[in-house]
Amino acid sequence: MSGPADVGELLRPLVPRVLGVLVRRYGQFDACEDAVQEALLAASEQWPGEGVPDNPHGWLVAVAARRLTDHWRSESARRRREESVAAREPADAAAVAGPGEQRAPDRDDTLTLLFLCCHPAVSPPSQVALTLRAVGGLTTAQVAKAFLVPEATMTRRITRAKESIAAAGSTFGEPAPAEYAGRLSVVLQVLYLIFNEGYTATSGTELRVPALAREAIRLTRAVHALRPDDGEVAGLLALMLLTDARRDARDGPDGTLVPLAEQDRGRWDRAMVAEGAALIGRVLGRGPVGAYQVQAAIAALHDAAPSAESTDWVQITQLYEVLQELAPSAVVTLNQAIAVAMVEGPARGLELLDSIAEDGRMKQSHRFDAVRAHLLEQAGEPEAAREHYRRAARRTASLPERRYLEERAEHLG
């Protein structure tokens, strides 16, 4: 045993490896995942007082395996299940690594588990929730708190996700070659959603949920370590690093949102910026270019500029044109309008906004009105800008964003 440590930080990287061992041995992803959660709870209760085991991975595997055994023995179909387990279990798997044994994990199952959690049969919100619990090692309560929903609601969401995976007959392993690219794309999208929610919370009293952003970066690093030559994986990691580097400058002492143009760039994490820029610099243009790589390149240009005015807006507008070709969407156009306004004037930016005004997502998005208000303010139309700031404030569920938008409206008044 070693002395107490930050148990949460120690446990999370072990979760996919421990869960992978159990699922390979015993099947039944849902039961194994529950057993791992029980082992994590036991570790969080015991390790701070008793010390961290010499082999944390082996300790978790042993405890989770015992939980599985206890669960199966308590059911009427014990004998049939035990025979099924024995049939699928490798000959050398019967000896579970004990808490003190120095038996290292034989493989990293992070990507395989991400593929399973992001199964097409599972809805996107449930993919996010299950990924954070099964691969990220967060408890259901922690996931529920991050997304501001009751724990019971999150429990049902995770349960449905596991039932959907079981009903689809999915097995533990990488998807077929023909499905691989599509499934990896879903995995990256889920990680991107987790990061975005952490970087700018969609609702609540806090501007951000740092734990979610950190977890998204950690999991994306793990995928990058397993797929170092994949340009889009590297692009997504670079995008997260370049964006999260600005986190400390995004809000004032009272929690008020500070827009990019007004941020103190001296507070940006330059080590993180350098890492992200180097990462995107290594992959961009050396293979197929994807949307995450282009977004990372845009973020790198923002981070490299000493001020908003000195930003290379011309190159950013060109990159948005590339992004529109790769992944056309109203959201891309919304961001593109800001860059175009910096180069060609606010009237041209407003024209781009008009082109997506009837899009269903934009009609529900507070960001559409916020961007329109910003461009109208630049165009010298304060009354119209004030109305759109107010409309955006009414639509957002984020209290810091609402405060900022209301303050902008009052300023123009």
Side-chain angles (χ1 to χ4, degrees):
M1 291 276 184
S2 61
D6 188 334
V7 173
E9 294 302 315
L10 177 62
L11 286 172
R12 276 190 281 275
L14 295 173
V15 171
R17 298 189 177 196
V18 174
L19 182 55
V21 168
L22 294 180
V23 178
R24 282 200 308 275
R25 290 179 182 173
Y26 307 117
Q28 299 193 24
F29 169 78
D30 54 346
C32 292
E33 200 273 329
D34 288 339
V36 170
Q37 286 291 319
E38 292 185 30
L40 294 174
L41 178 60
S44 67
E45 293 174 346
Q46 295 179 35
W47 292 3
E50 300 177 6
V52 178
D54 294 333
N55 181 10
H57 173 268
W59 191 99
L60 290 168
V61 170
V63 172
R66 282 198 296 270
R67 296 289 193 274
L68 272 178
T69 301
D70 293 343
H71 171 69
W72 283 329
R73 281 176 177 167
S74 68
E75 297 184 1
S76 59
R78 173 181 60 84
R79 186 176 301 277
R80 178 174 57 81
R81 286 199 171 109
E82 286 178 348
E83 291 172 351
S84 175
V85 169
R88 71 157 59 227
E89 190 174 77
D92 65 345
V96 177
E101 295 178 26
Q102 294 299 321
R103 180 177 173 184
D106 55 356
R107 58 187 286 183
D108 187 336
D109 291 297
T110 299
L111 187 54
T112 303
L113 285 167
L114 282 168
F115 279 133
L116 195 60
C117 294
C118 299
H119 192 282
V122 180
S123 68
S126 296
Q127 288 173 344
V128 170
L130 188 56
T131 295
L132 286 171
R133 199 180 112 127
V135 188
L138 275 66
T139 65
T140 304
Q142 288 172 323
V143 179
K145 182 179 180 182
F147 286 93
L148 300 175
V149 300
E151 185 175 350
T153 300
M154 189 58 67
T155 297
R156 289 193 295 271
R157 188 176 296 176
I158 291 172
T159 299
R160 284 196 300 269
K162 291 194 285 189
E163 289 172 348
S164 298
I165 290 173
S170 182
T171 57
F172 184 69
E174 291 189 356
E179 302 176 359
Y180 190 93
R183 292 283 292 278
L184 180 60
S185 175
V186 174
V187 166
L188 298 184
Q189 177 65 16
V190 166
L191 295 175
Y192 186 50
L193 289 173
I194 294 171
F195 176 80
N196 283 343
E197 183 64 27
Y199 188 72
T200 304
T202 53
S203 58
T205 59
E206 301 297 328
L207 178 62
R208 48 201 169 96
V209 187
L212 281 183
R214 288 196 301 268
E215 190 59 25
I217 291 173
R218 186 186 72 80
L219 291 175
T220 307
R221 283 190 189 279
V223 176
H224 177 58
L226 296 169
R227 303 283 300 176
D229 297 326
D230 190 298
E232 277 295 79
V233 174
L236 178 57
L237 178 56
L239 174 60
M240 290 180 180
L241 294 171
L242 290 162
T243 304
D244 200 51
R246 311 172 199 146
R247 65 182 180 275
D248 291 339
R250 293 184 64 235
D251 49 9
D254 59 350
T256 305
L257 183 151
V258 180
L260 179 64
E262 300 172 20
Q263 289 175 15
D264 177 0
R265 301 186 177 214
R267 297 181 64 196
W268 290 358
D269 188 328
R270 286 298 162 186
M272 195 175 282
V273 170
E275 183 184 0
L279 191 58
I280 191 60
R282 284 197 298 271
V283 299
L284 193 61
R286 299 187 180 183
V289 177
Y292 293 122
Q293 295 173 62
V294 176
Q295 290 179 75
I298 292 171
L301 287 172
H302 281 297
D303 288 6
S307 66
E309 294 75 20
S310 60
T311 302
D312 191 344
W313 290 106
V314 172
Q315 190 172 351
I316 287 177
T317 59
Q318 293 170 346
L319 287 170
Y320 272 118
E321 291 175 4
V322 175
L323 189 58
Q324 282 285 20
E325 294 178 4
L326 293 170
S329 75
V331 174
V332 173
T333 303
L334 185 68
N335 292 310
Q336 184 180 18
I338 299 172
V340 168
M342 296 297 292
V343 177
E344 302 179 32
R348 176 60 183 137
L350 288 166
E351 286 179 14
L352 280 176
L353 290 185
D354 289 339
S355 71
I356 57 172
E358 297 305 312
D359 181 89
R361 290 182 64 183
M362 293 298 103
K363 287 183 176 180
Q364 302 297 323
S365 171
H366 73 281
R367 288 199 64 231
F368 180 82
D369 280 297
V371 172
R372 184 179 286 280
H374 172 68
L375 297 184
L376 286 168
E377 184 179 357
Q378 286 187 330
E381 300 183 40
E383 292 185 7
R386 184 168 62 249
E387 176 56 33
H388 281 282
Y389 275 130
R390 287 173 174 166
R391 185 182 301 179
R394 290 193 297 268
R395 286 182 170 177
T396 182
S398 166
L399 186 57
E401 288 188 332
R402 184 182 305 155
R403 281 203 214 100
Y404 169 77
L405 293 165
E406 289 173 346
E407 287 172 2
R408 292 305 308 162
E410 291 174 8
H411 173 74
L412 291 176

